[in-house]
Amino acid sequence: EPEVTQTPSHQVTQMGQEVILRCVPISNHLYFYWYRQILGQKVEFLVSFYNNEISEKSEIFDDQFSVERPDGSNFTLKIRSTKLEDSAMYFCASRKTGLGEKLFFGSGTQLSVL
Amino acid sequence: QKEVEQNSGPLSVPEGAIASLNCTYSDRGSQSFFWYRQYSGKSPELIMSIYSNGDKEDGRFTAQLNKASQYVSLLIRDSQPSDSATYLCAVNREYGNKLVFGAGTILRVKS
């Protein structure tokens, strides 16, 4: 089965530093997402991306966050100035169409902000 | 009111028994419903999707949907220790294409 690939699997950074989390969605998928999960808490939606623009974002996705699809394959999440509370598992996901289609998740990037 | 609510558990069942997991959602216009399984430290893995009222069976799993009651359930027959995980209910709301997840129910199957 095709896979969503995320790198790195673990990222440790100092508070205030910028981090970029990388994802390669499945090649024929059109909708891309970032979710996060703080340890022991639920999976939370951050942002969805379609047709080279943000289609929806949550209140968590403030000005410190940005997403980009710099080429035909990569999808990145940038956190400009990390805070302690940004420590979480970040999941990239993709699906072929929007409503109702199976959402494929990557294996996640564990971000630790010290 | 939470958008998607699940009992956090843990739900403990003996090996071979039926495990019953429940979920309610608040948006009456929700269109698509999913059950994901998540092992500790891993990403969610889709088990079942259901779109219309009634039951849908896939192997040992049966999803049930009642839109009038805004209720989704997952039955796991012949539960195995390997089924021990957190089960996440996810709902695609009427507007927008994001999935909204519940907090999950921890299932423990005792051998």
Side-chain angles (χ1 to χ4, degrees), chain B residues 48-108:
Chain B
M48 294 282 294
S49 58
I50 187 165
Y51 307 102
S52 53
N53 282 329
D55 295 0
K56 180 181 176 184
E57 188 174 315
D58 184 0
R60 296 187 295 114
F61 300 97
T62 299
Q64 299 172 316
L65 173 62
N66 182 326
K67 288 186 178 180
S69 301
Q70 294 172 242
Y71 176 88
V72 195
S73 67
L74 179 70
L75 298 177
I76 307 174
R77 288 180 298 281
D78 189 23
S79 296
Q80 301 297 308
S82 58
D83 294 327
S84 298
T86 299
Y87 287 80
L88 310 178
C89 174
V91 174
N92 213 134
R93 299 181 63 181
E94 183 174 18
Y95 300 106
N97 56 55
K98 70 181 184 186
L99 282 191
V100 178
F101 285 83
T105 299
I106 298 170
L107 173 66
R108 294 189 181 138

Side-chain angles (χ1 to χ4, degrees), chain A residues 6-65:
Chain A
Q6 287 187 246
T7 55
S9 56
H10 293 85
Q11 174 89 50
V12 181
T13 189
Q14 295 292 325
M15 191 169 57
Q17 295 297 304
E18 174 184 286
V19 294
I20 298 176
L21 309 183
R22 303 181 191 280
C23 170
V24 179
I26 294 170
S27 61
N28 62 346
H29 284 189
L30 301 177
Y31 290 80
F32 313 116
Y33 304 81
W34 284 100
Y35 284 82
R36 79 171 188 190
Q37 188 173 33
I38 294 169
L39 186 63
Q41 297 187 25
K42 69 176 184 177
V43 176
E44 298 176 291
F45 169 77
L46 292 179
V47 65
S48 60
F49 193 87
Y50 170 71
N51 201 26
N52 284 318
E53 61 182 22
I54 291 173
S55 52
E56 193 171 354
K57 61 183 181 179
S58 72
E59 60 275 8
I60 302 168
F61 194 88
D62 62 20
D63 292 344
Q64 293 300 313
F65 291 87

Side-chain angles (χ1 to χ4, degrees), chain A residues 94-114:
Chain A
S94 69
R95 57 185 181 184
K96 200 180 292 188
T97 62
L99 190 65
E101 273 280 316
K102 175 180 176 178
L103 193 62
F104 289 77
F105 280 86
S107 54
T109 294
Q110 180 65 56
L111 176 65
S112 298
V113 182
L114 306 178

